Amino acid sequence: VNAVFAQPKLIFNQPLFNFGDVEEGTMASYEFTFTNKGTEPLVISQVNPSCGCTVPEWSKQPVMPGEQGRIKATYNTNGRPGAFAKSIGVVSN
């Protein structure tokens, strides 16, 4: 017996972003957009940055099928000269 379960499907429009050259001491932000390509509402329960120097913001409202949502990531460059690579993990239904 095969069963298909309705579920949300989070697809990022651009999963990686390169800030390029950023002056130390500034706040560097980027807003990632995603689409729920599933058949049920998508709920993001957590967004976990790889360090305390990155702060995520996201809507706590469900993203309906076919609609877009956003996750803003802000990186504090103060005291962090040179190249950096940070990540955020997204926990959803």
Side-chain angles (χ1 to χ4, degrees):
V1 174
N2 289 331
V4 177
F5 297 101
Q7 59 187 356
K9 185 175 183 182
L10 189 156
I11 303 293
F12 281 96
N13 299 350
Q14 182 179 347
L16 300 173
F17 179 75
N18 183 342
F19 282 104
D21 292 333
V22 178
E23 185 177 327
E24 181 190 355
T26 63
M27 302 295 275
S29 294
Y30 182 74
E31 194 169 84
F32 293 91
T33 58
F34 62 87
T35 303
N36 177 1
K37 296 212 175 187
T39 56
E40 290 294 317
L42 172 75
V43 178
I44 295 177
S45 56
Q46 293 179 33
V47 178
N48 302 315
S50 61
C51 72
C53 57
T54 304
V55 177
E57 298 174 38
W58 71 99
S59 172
K60 309 304 188 273
Q61 300 300 316
V63 177
M64 296 298 149
E67 292 187 352
Q68 288 192 330
R70 293 170 173 31
I71 298 173
K72 181 179 179 182
T74 302
Y75 173 68
N76 183 353
T77 66
N78 192 30
R80 297 174 181 89
F84 62 91
K86 302 296 175 190
S87 64
I88 55 174
V90 178
V91 179
S92 72
N93 60 337

